[in-house]
Amino acid sequence: MNLGYIDRFAKSLIREAGHKIRISFYSQIDVESKAEANDLVTNIDKEVERFFIERIRENFPEHKIFGEEGFGDRIETLDGVVWLLDPIDGTMNFVHQKRNFAISLGIYQDGVGMLGYIYDVMADDFYHAVKGEGAYFNDERLPLLEVTPLEQAVIGINASWVVPNRRVEHEPLIELVAKCRGTRSYGSAAIELAYVASGRIDAYVSMRLAPWDIAGGMVIAQEVGAVTTNLRGETPHLLGTDTFIVARPGLHDDMLRHYIRLK
Ligand code: 2AM
Ligand code: CA
C-alpha cells in the first residue's frame, strides 16, 4: 500500500468534494428523512458519495468503499483496503445552518486505521493523520494531549442523553455536566472528534454512531494520544453502529468509570 500516493489522492479528492458542497448552496437542495424523522439526507450527500466512489474505483479498483449513503460496497469484513466515508457528517447542520458539517474519511487496511481525514467544509479546516506519523490541523502538527481533570474539562455531549432516554442512565450524566467546566454540542461527530484531537474540547461522547462517523477521526485522535472506545471500554466495532467516547487519557477512564451507565 503506497500510503503517500493514497494520501495525496485522498486530500485532493476531499478538497474537490468540499468545493462541490459549497457551490451546492447556489442550487436546489432536496431534503428527505431516513428511518427516523430527524435523520436527514439530501441529494448533495448522495451526489458527493457517488463522486468519491467513481474516483476511488477508477484509481484503486481493488479497494472497497463503505459509505453512509450505500452506493459503495457491501462490507462484511474489514479485510483488505477499505475506505469508510461520510460525504456529509452533520447533515442537519448542512440543512439548517449551512455550516458545522464535515467530510469524514478513514482508510483502513485489514482493520487498522492508516489514514484519517476530517474536512470542516465551511471553515476550510482540514484535519488529517497518517498512522505513526502524527496528526495535523491544516499544516500545523498537533501536539500530544495532556491530562486534564474533569473540573477543567469541556465535554462534547448532546443534551438528549442528559434527559431520560432509552440508552443510558441520565442521573450520572447530570452529575458529569454539573462537575465539568462546560459542555458543547456541535452536531457533527467528526467535528467533535477533530476538536478533541486539537484540544478545543476534552471529550466527546455519543450513544449511537456509525462506522463512517468515527473511522477517520479515530486515526487522527489516536495520533495525539486520545483514547477512543465504545462505552463498554472496547474498541468500537466498525461494521455497524456502536456507542462511542473519545477523550484525553485520564478523563476517558474517569468518565467511563463514574458517569456512564448503559441501560
Ligand atoms: P450524520 O449527520 O452523518 O447522520 C450528531 O447527530 C451526529 O450523529 C452526526 O455526526 C450524525 O451524522 C450522527 N448520526 C445521526 N443519526 C445517526 C444514526 N441514526 N446513527 C448513527 N449516527 C448518527
Ligand atoms: Ca452523513
Side-chain angles (χ1 to χ4, degrees):
M1 189 173 170
N2 183 341
L3 277 186
Y5 176 63
I6 298 173
D7 179 46
R8 285 190 297 279
F9 175 82
K11 279 179 183 149
S12 87
L13 206 54
I14 290 167
R15 289 205 180 270
E16 196 176 337
H19 178 71
K20 283 180 187 294
I21 296 172
R22 281 188 297 267
I23 62 173
S24 78
F25 289 126
Y26 297 103
S27 68
Q28 168 87 19
I29 298 176
D30 303 317
V31 184
E32 292 167 46
S33 291
K34 293 190 188 174
E36 289 169 44
N38 57 2
D39 193 1
L40 306 179
V41 64
T42 74
N43 54 319
I44 311 303
D45 299 61
K46 295 178 189 174
E47 278 164 31
V48 172
E49 180 164 311
R50 285 204 198 92
F51 162 76
F52 268 96
I53 288 171
E54 211 168 278
R55 290 292 188 84
I56 297 164
R57 284 193 176 145
E58 232 168 64
N59 285 273
F60 303 102
E62 69 287 7
H63 293 186
K64 288 180 288 178
I65 307 149
F66 196 17
E68 172 162 25
E69 309 313 334
F71 299 113
D73 299 290
R74 203 170 251 291
I75 299 290
E76 276 152 14
T77 77
L78 290 180
D79 292 348
V81 179
V82 183
W83 297 53
L84 294 105
L85 170 72
D86 192 344
I88 299 183
D89 182 69
T91 298
M92 194 185 289
N93 289 347
F94 173 68
V95 170
H96 286 255
Q97 307 186 321
K98 298 189 164 59
R99 65 183 66 200
N100 298 325
F101 58 86
I103 296 171
S104 166
L105 173 66
I107 304 176
Y108 282 59
Q109 184 172 35
D110 297 322
V112 180
M114 304 303 290
L115 299 161
Y117 307 89
I118 295 169
Y119 182 40
D120 179 336
V121 173
M122 301 313 284
D124 193 25
D125 284 342
F126 202 108
Y127 303 81
H128 85 278
V130 179
K131 183 180 165 57
E133 293 177 22
Y136 291 81
F137 164 56
N138 294 328
D139 292 321
E140 247 170 74
R141 173 101 183 222
L142 291 170
L144 279 179
L145 296 177
E146 286 167 14
V147 173
T148 297
L150 179 59
E151 290 72 15
Q152 289 169 26
V154 180
I155 310 279
I157 187 167
N158 188 310
S160 60
W161 308 122
V162 191
V163 296
N165 69 85
R166 63 197 165 94
R167 294 181 192 271
V168 68
E169 301 292 349
H170 70 285
E171 300 283 355
L173 288 174
I174 292 178
E175 209 184 310
L176 174 80
V177 169
K179 246 190 210 166
C180 70
R181 180 170 278 176
T183 59
R184 296 290 184 272
S185 182
Y186 295 97
S188 153
I191 288 180
E192 312 222 32
L193 258 154
Y195 280 10
V196 173
S198 51
R200 298 187 178 122
I201 59 176
D202 303 289
Y204 167 65
V205 58
S206 177
M207 302 309 141
R208 185 159 182 246
L209 289 179
W212 41 80
D213 297 327
I214 57 174
M218 289 209 330
V219 181
I220 299 170
Q222 280 157 15
E223 283 301 308
V224 294
V227 187
T228 55
T229 65
N230 66 20
L231 296 178
R232 295 192 168 75
E234 309 151 347
T235 307
H237 83 105
L238 289 175
L239 293 170
T241 58
D242 204 347
T243 56
F244 185 68
I245 177 170
V246 54
R248 290 175 186 265
L251 188 60
H252 176 275
D253 202 47
D254 189 21
M255 285 173 63
L256 265 194
R257 216 182 276 271
H258 300 115
Y259 302 97
I260 294 168
R261 297 210 214 316
L262 291 176
K263 284 187 174 165

